[in-house]
Amino acid sequence: MSVSRRGFLRLAAAGAATAGIAGCAGAAGSGQTAELLTSRIPLPQRFRVPLPVPAVKKPARSDATTDYYEIVQRAVRAELVPGHRTTIFGYDGTFPGPTIRSTSGRETVVTHRNELPVPSVVHLHGGHTPAESDGFATDLVLPADRRMAARGMHGGHMLGDIRHGSRDYTYPVKQPAATLWYHDHRMDFTGPQMWRGLFGMHLVHDAVEDALPLPRGEREIPLMICDRAFEADGAFRYPAIDPSLGHKPGVLDEYMEGVLGDVILVNGAPWPELEVDAARYRFRVLNASNARRYRLALEPKPDGENGFVQIGSDAGLLAKPVRHNEIDIAPAERFDVVIDFARYPVGTKVVLRNELGSGPAAEIMRFTVARKASDDSAIPAKLAEIEPLDPARATVRREWRFNRGSVGDHRGWTINGKQFDPDRMDARPKLGDIEVWRFFTDLHHPVHVHLSPFQVVGRNGRDPGRYDAGWKDTVDVRPAEYVDVAIRFTGYTGKFLMHCHNLEHEDMAMMASFETVRP
Ligand code: C2O
Ligand code: CU
C-alpha cells in the first residue's frame, strides 16, 4: 500500500504524536513513504522467467597490485518484460550491470566510459574510497559524444571535477569482505538514471570469508530487487519533470514522497523463478529500488520457522548468524542470507513474498526445490571479528534532521532545514575519532553515509532493532524515529556525501556534505 497525499498528512500527524515513543514507528501500517505509479502494459505473468544472474566482469588486465576493469555506460534496447522493448541505461548495456569481484587488499581500478546522452557519476556504495574516486555528485563524467556534453551544466555554478567521456575510479579496497554495489550519483538526476538501470553489484572477498564453509559457486547468488513501471510502448515510466534529464530536476509533485512501480524485478527479470537443489544457498539481497521498502518472507515457511539466516549486513559479515522469519529491507540496504532448501520436500514451490506489498507487489520471486543434492556447506556459529565502537568514547555528537521542506521555489526535502549545496560542508570530522550521529525523521528515510561504515547503537534511546546488526552504511529510519550510530572515519581526507537513499528525496535536495580532516 502506498501513502496517498491524504495518507501522508495523516501519517505526518500520527508521527508528530508518537515522536520519541519507541517501537511504534511505522505503526500507521503502510510501511512506505512513496506513491504508486502504475504500468500501461498488462503486467507480466509471475514465475515464468528464469532468474538471470549478472555476468562476473573479467579484468581487462591485472598486475602485481591491481585489477583493471573497463565498463561502458550505454543506452540500449533490452527485453526486461517478455514481448516488450525497453530503453535502458546500462553498465556494459545490461540491467543490472556486471558484477565486479574484488579481493580485499588488492586495488581495483574501473574505467567508466560514458556513451549515454546524459552526464553520469559512479559511486561505489559501501566502498572505503578516497574522495576523488568516491563519485561526489558534481564530479560529472560528460558524455563522450560532445553534442550531448553541454547538458547538466547547471548555469555555471556547482561544478565539480568534470571529465569528458571517461574517468578512472580507483578503489584501494582496504576493507573486509562485503556486499557492495555501484550506481549512478549524478546530482539531481540519480533517481531517473538508476531507474533506467545504472546499478550493479561489487563484491569484496577476503581470507576470513574464504575460510568459512559457506555456500559458494552456483549456490552464491545476488538478488537485486527493484520495482519499475512501464509505458504502453515498453519504455520505462517515470514522473520526471524534465524527461530529457537535461536541466530541471525532480518529479511531479504527487510523486515527491518517492516513486513505486508495480512490476517487481529481480536481477532485471519480472517475478523470476529459480530452480534450486535441496541445499543451502547464500543470497546477497540488495534493495535497489528508488523508494520501495520490502518485508521479505518465505511462503510456505520451513518447519521450525526462521527461513533466513543472516550472515552479513551492508558492510561485511556479522559476528554471528542472526535468524529471521521476516526481513525488513529499505532502499540501498543489503542482507547477506542463507536459505536451506533441504528443509522443504523436493517439489515444493517457495515464494519469496513482500509482506509490505499488496496485489502483485506482494510477491517477489519463486524458488522450486527441484532435486536432492549433497551439501557440504555450513553456517559457523562465529563468522567474523567485529570491533564494537563504544559510543562512550565519542569525541563529537551531531544531529541530523531529515524533514520535508522548501527547496528554492518548490517543495522538497531537507537535512537540518537546508537543501543540498555541494559547496557547503556541514561537518568536519577528524580522521580516527569516533563520532555519534543521531538521525531524526518525519517519515521513512533510509540514511546513508559515505566513506566509513557505522554501527547502530540505539533506536529512540533504546537498543538497536533486529535488523541493525553488524557494520552498516545505510540505516532505515522509520517515521518520527531517531537512530544513533557510532562512526569512525578513517583513511582519506576530503569531501564526502551523506543523504537519504530514497532517490526522489535525494534528488530533491535531501543530501549534505562533510569533509574529513587530519587530526
Ligand atoms: Cu548508494 Cu550516496 O549512495
Ligand atoms: Cu528520505
Side-chain angles (χ1 to χ4, degrees):
M1 199 185 7
S2 72
V3 179
S4 67
R5 183 142 307 279
R6 275 166 72 224
F8 167 77
L9 294 172
R10 240 184 296 121
L11 192 60
T18 58
I21 300 172
C24 49
S30 126
Q32 305 293 350
T33 297
E35 196 72 33
L36 183 67
L37 182 68
T38 52
S39 292
R40 291 171 169 158
I41 53 167
L43 295 189
Q45 294 202 311
R46 275 161 270 166
F47 319 134
R48 295 297 168 90
V49 184
L51 175 78
V53 175
V56 174
K57 185 83 181 165
K58 293 205 175 45
R61 64 196 172 90
S62 293
D63 60 26
T65 57
T66 309
D67 299 310
Y68 300 86
Y69 294 87
E70 289 166 9
I71 287 183
V72 181
Q73 305 171 3
R74 286 186 291 143
V76 301
R77 274 158 71 74
E79 189 171 355
L80 301 182
V81 174
H84 294 275
R85 294 271 157 192
T86 307
T87 299
I88 63 151
F89 286 177
Y91 295 116
D92 282 351
T94 63
F95 181 118
T99 298
I100 296 177
R101 285 180 180 266
S102 289
T103 303
S104 179
R106 262 187 82 72
E107 186 178 69
T108 296
V109 175
V110 187
T111 303
H112 277 271
R113 179 173 166 81
N114 179 1
E115 294 187 357
L116 300 168
V118 294
S120 68
V121 173
V122 181
H123 171 56
L124 174 57
H125 181 125
H128 189 233
T129 304
E132 19 346 320
S133 285
D134 195 51
F136 197 81
T138 50
D139 291 351
L140 306 177
V141 181
L142 300 180
D145 179 342
R146 289 192 175 249
R147 286 164 305 176
M148 306 283 187
R151 285 168 178 236
M153 312 290 282
H154 292 267
H157 71 302
M158 303 192 291
L159 294 185
D161 174 13
I162 309 270
R163 305 294 164 88
H164 271 273
S166 78
R167 174 174 194 126
D168 294 346
Y169 291 89
T170 300
Y171 305 117
V173 201
K174 291 182 181 149
Q175 60 188 104
T179 305
L180 310 185
W181 62 307
Y182 62 106
H183 63 71
D184 193 66
H185 218 304
R186 176 185 168 201
M187 179 168 160
D188 296 341
F189 294 95
T190 295
Q193 298 196 171
M194 283 176 64
W195 187 265
R196 293 184 193 195
L198 291 176
F199 63 93
M201 279 269 171
H202 189 141
L203 306 176
V204 177
H205 299 279
D206 69 6
V208 172
E209 181 200 34
D210 283 349
L212 299 174
L214 297 169
R216 62 186 73 225
E218 304 267 278
R219 295 184 188 160
E220 181 198 345
I221 299 176
L223 299 180
M224 288 172 261
I225 304 170
C226 64
D227 56 339
R228 295 292 185 266
F230 295 87
E231 300 285 1
D233 65 357
F236 281 127
R237 230 186 138 199
Y238 185 84
I241 292 172
D242 172 5
S244 75
L245 311 184
H247 293 281
K248 186 131 175 56
V251 291
L252 301 177
D253 239 19
E254 64 259 48
Y255 293 97
M256 69 167 287
E257 275 124 45
V259 182
L260 304 178
D262 58 358
V263 176
I264 308 294
L265 303 172
V266 186
N267 299 348
W271 294 288
E273 161 94 19
L274 178 68
E275 266 198 8
V276 292
D277 297 337
R280 282 182 207 88
Y281 281 72
R282 177 180 183 185
F283 296 107
R284 316 275 199 144
V285 183
L286 159 68
N287 181 351
S289 306
N290 282 36
R292 188 183 281 279
R293 303 170 68 254
Y294 301 81
R295 177 167 298 157
L296 311 177
L298 297 172
E299 177 62 43
K301 297 194 189 313
D303 275 351
E305 309 259 299
N306 288 323
F308 304 105
V309 183
Q310 185 191 353
I311 55 169
S313 54
D314 302 333
L317 292 166
L318 301 181
K320 54 182 195 315
V322 177
R323 283 162 212 285
H324 300 284
N325 245 321
E326 297 169 334
I327 292 176
D328 282 7
I329 184 168
E333 284 190 301
R334 286 88 70 206
F335 283 82
D336 191 350
V337 299
V338 173
I339 300 176
D340 185 0
F341 294 103
R343 297 171 71 192
Y344 293 102
V346 168
T348 311
K349 295 189 182 301
V350 183
V351 175
L352 179 63
R353 289 184 48 85
N354 167 26
E355 303 284 341
L356 296 179
S358 56
E363 294 180 321
I364 297 170
M365 64 176 291
R366 191 172 73 182
F367 306 98
T368 297
V369 184
R371 59 194 87 77
K372 284 208 181 317
S374 64
D375 186 0
D376 55 9
S377 73
I379 305 172
K382 195 178 158 315
L383 295 164
E385 208 64 65
I386 293 191
E387 178 210 347
L389 293 185
D390 181 0
R393 286 177 47 217
T395 49
V396 181
R397 290 172 182 268
R398 302 181 201 270
E399 295 188 347
W400 306 89
R401 291 174 191 273
F402 290 75
N403 284 307
R404 181 181 277 275
S406 50
V407 171
D409 58 353
H410 55 94
R411 296 184 312 140
W413 300 94
T414 58
I415 301 177
N416 289 343
K418 290 181 251 178
Q419 69 179 87
F420 179 57
D421 171 353
D423 294 327
R424 185 190 71 233
M425 294 298 127
D426 289 314
R428 287 207 156 72
K430 288 200 192 75
L431 292 181
D433 279 6
I434 294 177
E435 301 203 355
V436 170
W437 287 13
R438 177 170 288 185
F439 307 127
F440 293 87
T441 54
D442 52 357
L443 292 162
H444 288 102
H445 298 291
V447 176
H448 170 48
V449 182
H450 287 213
L451 182 61
S452 288
F454 52 72
Q455 292 172 6
V456 178
V457 295
R459 278 190 185 258
N460 302 306
R462 300 194 184 175
D463 286 344
R466 84 188 98 185
Y467 306 118
D468 292 333
W471 288 109
K472 300 273 296 164
D473 57 46
T474 307
V475 63
D476 183 22
V477 193
R478 292 162 302 188
E481 269 198 321
Y482 68 89
V483 170
D484 291 317
V485 304
I487 183 163
R488 181 171 53 208
F489 293 101
T490 60
Y492 310 106
T493 56
K495 288 160 61 178
F496 295 92
L497 297 167
M498 65 93 76
H499 56 91
C500 178
H501 222 289
N502 173 318
L503 302 181
E504 284 72 41
H505 298 190
E506 176 183 339
D507 283 346
M508 289 185 287
M510 196 172 246
M511 184 147 70
S513 313
F514 62 90
E515 182 175 20
T516 48
V517 297
R518 289 201 190 291

PDB file of all heavy atoms in Angstrom, residues 61-79:
ATOM      1  N   ARG A  61      43.016  -6.183 -17.528  1.00  0.00           N
ATOM      2  CA  ARG A  61      44.377  -6.638 -17.223  1.00  0.00           C
ATOM      3  C   ARG A  61      44.580  -6.593 -15.728  1.00  0.00           C
ATOM      4  O   ARG A  61      43.792  -5.974 -15.002  1.00  0.00           O
ATOM      5  CB  ARG A  61      45.423  -5.791 -17.954  1.00  0.00           C
ATOM      6  CG  ARG A  61      45.454  -4.346 -17.528  1.00  0.00           C
ATOM      7  CD  ARG A  61      46.217  -3.485 -18.547  1.00  0.00           C
ATOM      8  NE  ARG A  61      46.050  -2.091 -18.193  1.00  0.00           N
ATOM      9  CZ  ARG A  61      46.857  -1.425 -17.375  1.00  0.00           C
ATOM     10  NH1 ARG A  61      47.907  -2.027 -16.823  1.00  0.00           N
ATOM     11  NH2 ARG A  61      46.631  -0.167 -17.082  1.00  0.00           N
ATOM     12  N   SER A  62      45.642  -7.248 -15.293  1.00  0.00           N
ATOM     13  CA  SER A  62      45.988  -7.271 -13.867  1.00  0.00           C
ATOM     14  C   SER A  62      47.488  -7.146 -13.750  1.00  0.00           C
ATOM     15  O   SER A  62      48.217  -7.615 -14.630  1.00  0.00           O
ATOM     16  CB  SER A  62      45.579  -8.604 -13.239  1.00  0.00           C
ATOM     17  OG  SER A  62      44.177  -8.733 -13.224  1.00  0.00           O
ATOM     18  N   ASP A  63      47.957  -6.515 -12.683  1.00  0.00           N
ATOM     19  CA  ASP A  63      49.390  -6.567 -12.393  1.00  0.00           C
ATOM     20  C   ASP A  63      49.570  -6.977 -10.934  1.00  0.00           C
ATOM     21  O   ASP A  63      48.622  -7.469 -10.316  1.00  0.00           O
ATOM     22  CB  ASP A  63      50.084  -5.239 -12.751  1.00  0.00           C
ATOM     23  CG  ASP A  63      49.522  -4.055 -11.989  1.00  0.00           C
ATOM     24  OD1 ASP A  63      48.984  -4.268 -10.875  1.00  0.00           O
ATOM     25  OD2 ASP A  63      49.598  -2.918 -12.492  1.00  0.00           O
ATOM     26  N   ALA A  64      50.746  -6.785 -10.400  1.00  0.00           N
ATOM     27  CA  ALA A  64      51.053  -7.315  -9.072  1.00  0.00           C
ATOM     28  C   ALA A  64      50.110  -6.784  -7.990  1.00  0.00           C
ATOM     29  O   ALA A  64      49.819  -7.475  -7.023  1.00  0.00           O
ATOM     30  CB  ALA A  64      52.498  -6.993  -8.711  1.00  0.00           C
ATOM     31  N   THR A  65      49.633  -5.547  -8.161  1.00  0.00           N
ATOM     32  CA  THR A  65      48.851  -4.925  -7.089  1.00  0.00           C
ATOM     33  C   THR A  65      47.399  -4.661  -7.447  1.00  0.00           C
ATOM     34  O   THR A  65      46.583  -4.416  -6.560  1.00  0.00           O
ATOM     35  CB  THR A  65      49.450  -3.544  -6.725  1.00  0.00           C
ATOM     36  OG1 THR A  65      49.468  -2.746  -7.939  1.00  0.00           O
ATOM     37  CG2 THR A  65      50.854  -3.672  -6.180  1.00  0.00           C
ATOM     38  N   THR A  66      47.079  -4.658  -8.753  1.00  0.00           N
ATOM     39  CA  THR A  66      45.840  -4.027  -9.201  1.00  0.00           C
ATOM     40  C   THR A  66      45.138  -4.823 -10.291  1.00  0.00           C
ATOM     41  O   THR A  66      45.793  -5.416 -11.147  1.00  0.00           O
ATOM     42  CB  THR A  66      46.175  -2.614  -9.766  1.00  0.00           C
ATOM     43  OG1 THR A  66      46.956  -1.922  -8.800  1.00  0.00           O
ATOM     44  CG2 THR A  66      44.929  -1.823 -10.097  1.00  0.00           C
ATOM     45  N   ASP A  67      43.806  -4.812 -10.224  1.00  0.00           N
ATOM     46  CA  ASP A  67      42.992  -5.341 -11.326  1.00  0.00           C
ATOM     47  C   ASP A  67      42.301  -4.156 -12.010  1.00  0.00           C
ATOM     48  O   ASP A  67      41.728  -3.304 -11.345  1.00  0.00           O
ATOM     49  CB  ASP A  67      41.939  -6.320 -10.798  1.00  0.00           C
ATOM     50  CG  ASP A  67      42.584  -7.512 -10.114  1.00  0.00           C
ATOM     51  OD1 ASP A  67      43.487  -8.126 -10.716  1.00  0.00           O
ATOM     52  OD2 ASP A  67      42.211  -7.804  -8.958  1.00  0.00           O
ATOM     53  N   TYR A  68      42.388  -4.130 -13.341  1.00  0.00           N
ATOM     54  CA  TYR A  68      41.840  -3.010 -14.116  1.00  0.00           C
ATOM     55  C   TYR A  68      40.615  -3.469 -14.897  1.00  0.00           C
ATOM     56  O   TYR A  68      40.683  -4.481 -15.609  1.00  0.00           O
ATOM     57  CB  TYR A  68      42.884  -2.488 -15.113  1.00  0.00           C
ATOM     58  CG  TYR A  68      44.149  -2.002 -14.442  1.00  0.00           C
ATOM     59  CD1 TYR A  68      45.174  -2.893 -14.129  1.00  0.00           C
ATOM     60  CD2 TYR A  68      44.311  -0.656 -14.122  1.00  0.00           C
ATOM     61  CE1 TYR A  68      46.346  -2.465 -13.506  1.00  0.00           C
ATOM     62  CE2 TYR A  68      45.471  -0.210 -13.497  1.00  0.00           C
ATOM     63  CZ  TYR A  68      46.486  -1.121 -13.195  1.00  0.00           C
ATOM     64  OH  TYR A  68      47.632  -0.696 -12.576  1.00  0.00           O
ATOM     65  N   TYR A  69      39.544  -2.738 -14.764  1.00  0.00           N
ATOM     66  CA  TYR A  69      38.296  -3.072 -15.465  1.00  0.00           C
ATOM     67  C   TYR A  69      37.892  -1.918 -16.378  1.00  0.00           C
ATOM     68  O   TYR A  69      38.196  -0.754 -16.087  1.00  0.00           O
ATOM     69  CB  TYR A  69      37.171  -3.311 -14.461  1.00  0.00           C
ATOM     70  CG  TYR A  69      37.362  -4.517 -13.590  1.00  0.00           C
ATOM     71  CD1 TYR A  69      38.079  -4.438 -12.393  1.00  0.00           C
ATOM     72  CD2 TYR A  69      36.829  -5.750 -13.950  1.00  0.00           C
ATOM     73  CE1 TYR A  69      38.254  -5.541 -11.589  1.00  0.00           C
ATOM     74  CE2 TYR A  69      36.997  -6.867 -13.144  1.00  0.00           C
ATOM     75  CZ  TYR A  69      37.714  -6.757 -11.965  1.00  0.00           C
ATOM     76  OH  TYR A  69      37.882  -7.862 -11.162  1.00  0.00           O
ATOM     77  N   GLU A  70      37.150  -2.234 -17.423  1.00  0.00           N
ATOM     78  CA  GLU A  70      36.628  -1.197 -18.312  1.00  0.00           C
ATOM     79  C   GLU A  70      35.139  -1.418 -18.494  1.00  0.00           C
ATOM     80  O   GLU A  70      34.712  -2.494 -18.928  1.00  0.00           O
ATOM     81  CB  GLU A  70      37.337  -1.270 -19.673  1.00  0.00           C
ATOM     82  CG  GLU A  70      38.775  -0.809 -19.568  1.00  0.00           C
ATOM     83  CD  GLU A  70      39.620  -1.159 -20.774  1.00  0.00           C
ATOM     84  OE1 GLU A  70      39.055  -1.630 -21.798  1.00  0.00           O
ATOM     85  OE2 GLU A  70      40.847  -0.974 -20.679  1.00  0.00           O
ATOM     86  N   ILE A  71      34.364  -0.411 -18.156  1.00  0.00           N
ATOM     87  CA  ILE A  71      32.911  -0.506 -18.297  1.00  0.00           C
ATOM     88  C   ILE A  71      32.436   0.633 -19.193  1.00  0.00           C
ATOM     89  O   ILE A  71      32.903   1.771 -19.071  1.00  0.00           O
ATOM     90  CB  ILE A  71      32.226  -0.451 -16.908  1.00  0.00           C
ATOM     91  CG1 ILE A  71      32.471  -1.778 -16.176  1.00  0.00           C
ATOM     92  CG2 ILE A  71      30.730  -0.165 -17.038  1.00  0.00           C
ATOM     93  CD1 ILE A  71      31.808  -1.909 -14.820  1.00  0.00           C
ATOM     94  N   VAL A  72      31.536   0.311 -20.122  1.00  0.00           N
ATOM     95  CA  VAL A  72      30.956   1.329 -20.992  1.00  0.00           C
ATOM     96  C   VAL A  72      29.494   1.506 -20.595  1.00  0.00           C
ATOM     97  O   VAL A  72      28.735   0.536 -20.516  1.00  0.00           O
ATOM     98  CB  VAL A  72      31.051   0.910 -22.480  1.00  0.00           C
ATOM     99  CG1 VAL A  72      30.461   2.006 -23.372  1.00  0.00           C
ATOM    100  CG2 VAL A  72      32.501   0.636 -22.861  1.00  0.00           C
ATOM    101  N   GLN A  73      29.116   2.744 -20.324  1.00  0.00           N
ATOM    102  CA  GLN A  73      27.726   3.052 -19.972  1.00  0.00           C
ATOM    103  C   GLN A  73      26.989   3.371 -21.266  1.00  0.00           C
ATOM    104  O   GLN A  73      27.375   4.295 -21.982  1.00  0.00           O
ATOM    105  CB  GLN A  73      27.678   4.268 -19.031  1.00  0.00           C
ATOM    106  CG  GLN A  73      28.542   4.079 -17.790  1.00  0.00           C
ATOM    107  CD  GLN A  73      28.669   5.350 -16.963  1.00  0.00           C
ATOM    108  OE1 GLN A  73      28.067   6.371 -17.270  1.00  0.00           O
ATOM    109  NE2 GLN A  73      29.457   5.277 -15.901  1.00  0.00           N
ATOM    110  N   ARG A  74      25.962   2.587 -21.552  1.00  0.00           N
ATOM    111  CA  ARG A  74      25.295   2.739 -22.846  1.00  0.00           C
ATOM    112  C   ARG A  74      23.785   2.701 -22.698  1.00  0.00           C
ATOM    113  O   ARG A  74      23.250   2.044 -21.802  1.00  0.00           O
ATOM    114  CB  ARG A  74      25.702   1.594 -23.782  1.00  0.00           C
ATOM    115  CG  ARG A  74      27.120   1.733 -24.309  1.00  0.00           C
ATOM    116  CD  ARG A  74      27.417   0.670 -25.335  1.00  0.00           C
ATOM    117  NE  ARG A  74      27.481  -0.648 -24.716  1.00  0.00           N
ATOM    118  CZ  ARG A  74      27.041  -1.767 -25.278  1.00  0.00           C
ATOM    119  NH1 ARG A  74      26.483  -1.746 -26.478  1.00  0.00           N
ATOM    120  NH2 ARG A  74      27.152  -2.907 -24.649  1.00  0.00           N
ATOM    121  N   ALA A  75      23.094   3.382 -23.619  1.00  0.00           N
ATOM    122  CA  ALA A  75      21.643   3.266 -23.732  1.00  0.00           C
ATOM    123  C   ALA A  75      21.376   2.181 -24.770  1.00  0.00           C
ATOM    124  O   ALA A  75      21.857   2.271 -25.898  1.00  0.00           O
ATOM    125  CB  ALA A  75      21.040   4.592 -24.178  1.00  0.00           C
ATOM    126  N   VAL A  76      20.662   1.138 -24.382  1.00  0.00           N
ATOM    127  CA  VAL A  76      20.352   0.067 -25.334  1.00  0.00           C
ATOM    128  C   VAL A  76      18.899  -0.354 -25.144  1.00  0.00           C
ATOM    129  O   VAL A  76      18.302  -0.111 -24.092  1.00  0.00           O
ATOM    130  CB  VAL A  76      21.250  -1.187 -25.144  1.00  0.00           C
ATOM    131  CG1 VAL A  76      22.709  -0.858 -25.311  1.00  0.00           C
ATOM    132  CG2 VAL A  76      21.028  -1.830 -23.799  1.00  0.00           C
ATOM    133  N   ARG A  77      18.360  -0.973 -26.184  1.00  0.00           N
ATOM    134  CA  ARG A  77      17.019  -1.525 -26.055  1.00  0.00           C
ATOM    135  C   ARG A  77      17.129  -2.959 -25.561  1.00  0.00           C
ATOM    136  O   ARG A  77      17.859  -3.757 -26.123  1.00  0.00           O
ATOM    137  CB  ARG A  77      16.278  -1.430 -27.392  1.00  0.00           C
ATOM    138  CG  ARG A  77      15.608  -0.050 -27.522  1.00  0.00           C
ATOM    139  CD  ARG A  77      15.323   0.315 -28.944  1.00  0.00           C
ATOM    140  NE  ARG A  77      14.224  -0.471 -29.536  1.00  0.00           N
ATOM    141  CZ  ARG A  77      12.934  -0.309 -29.265  1.00  0.00           C
ATOM    142  NH1 ARG A  77      12.547   0.578 -28.380  1.00  0.00           N
ATOM    143  NH2 ARG A  77      12.027  -1.027 -29.885  1.00  0.00           N
ATOM    144  N   ALA A  78      16.447  -3.258 -24.477  1.00  0.00           N
ATOM    145  CA  ALA A  78      16.565  -4.574 -23.856  1.00  0.00           C
ATOM    146  C   ALA A  78      15.170  -5.137 -23.635  1.00  0.00           C
ATOM    147  O   ALA A  78      14.184  -4.394 -23.610  1.00  0.00           O
ATOM    148  CB  ALA A  78      17.291  -4.448 -22.520  1.00  0.00           C
ATOM    149  N   GLU A  79      15.096  -6.460 -23.487  1.00  0.00           N
ATOM    150  CA  GLU A  79      13.808  -7.101 -23.211  1.00  0.00           C
ATOM    151  C   GLU A  79      13.785  -7.496 -21.730  1.00  0.00           C
ATOM    152  O   GLU A  79      14.276  -8.558 -21.359  1.00  0.00           O
ATOM    153  CB  GLU A  79      13.618  -8.317 -24.113  1.00  0.00           C
ATOM    154  CG  GLU A  79      12.219  -8.888 -24.024  1.00  0.00           C
ATOM    155  CD  GLU A  79      11.942  -9.963 -25.083  1.00  0.00           C
ATOM    156  OE1 GLU A  79      12.811 -10.195 -25.956  1.00  0.00           O
ATOM    157  OE2 GLU A  79      10.849 -10.568 -25.021  1.00  0.00           O
TER     158      GLU A  79
END
